[in-house]
Amino acid sequence: MRDEISAKLDEVITQLIAKLKDLTPGTPEHTAATEALNKLYKLRIEETTHDHDWSLKCEHDVIEERELAFKRNQAWWGRVFDALKLTAEVLGVVAPLCVYAVFLGRGFKFEETGTYTSKTMLNLISWFKPKK
């Protein structure tokens, strides 16, 4: 619909320009045709400006939508990497504690009766210091 109106406006402007060639300058008909052409041309300029502004707004909306999608994606990956970092830190503390518990349990089980004692258990305990 908008294209049809624009095409008809262009057609009328073209007809008025063709008619102006036939009219003699200074006559009331020529003045009226010039004023009509001036009004129609201003309408055409306004329409072109409006179309241009609308297309710029659409492009701006598309760019904003892409930026928002990029930020959402970036935030999601940030949360994933934060979770992985937290998991690695927790495993860095829990894994050595589990290893310490297993070896201490086995060592104490070996020396439970007190019949056999070993320096290995004492040396092993000295290594059980959490390090960062």
Side-chain angles (χ1 to χ4, degrees):
M1 179 73 174
R2 189 167 186 83
D3 292 336
E4 293 174 15
I5 293 172
S6 178
K8 288 191 183 212
L9 183 62
D10 288 340
E11 183 181 324
V12 170
I13 289 173
T14 306
Q15 289 174 356
L16 274 175
I17 290 173
K19 191 184 264 188
L20 266 175
K21 291 179 184 176
D22 297 337
L23 298 174
T24 43
T27 61
E29 294 169 346
H30 184 270
T31 307
T34 306
E35 288 176 4
L37 180 63
N38 190 19
K39 288 180 184 178
L40 290 174
Y41 195 69
K42 283 182 182 178
L43 284 174
R44 180 67 175 134
I45 289 172
E46 286 178 14
E47 180 186 14
T48 306
T49 305
H50 177 68
D51 287 344
H52 183 9
D53 291 344
W54 184 75
S55 65
L56 284 177
K57 183 185 177 300
C58 289
E59 288 175 11
H60 186 265
D61 290 346
V62 167
I63 290 170
E64 282 184 356
E65 186 177 322
R66 287 180 183 169
E67 286 177 356
L68 185 61
F70 176 74
K71 287 179 182 177
R72 278 191 206 131
N73 190 20
Q74 194 175 22
W76 184 82
W77 280 108
R79 286 192 304 270
V80 167
F81 285 124
D82 287 345
L84 290 174
K85 182 179 176 184
L86 179 66
T87 303
E89 288 177 1
V90 167
L91 284 176
V93 171
V94 172
L97 289 177
C98 291
V99 170
Y100 297 159
V102 167
F103 281 109
L104 274 176
R106 288 183 182 174
F108 287 143
K109 186 75 171 171
F110 176 74
E111 295 185 359
E112 187 175 72
T113 58
T115 313
Y116 297 107
T117 59
S118 69
K119 294 279 186 181
T120 306
M121 184 63 177
L122 290 173
N123 291 335
L124 191 60
I125 289 174
S126 68
W127 282 92
F128 286 167
K129 293 180 185 170
K131 297 176 184 170
K132 212 165 193 190

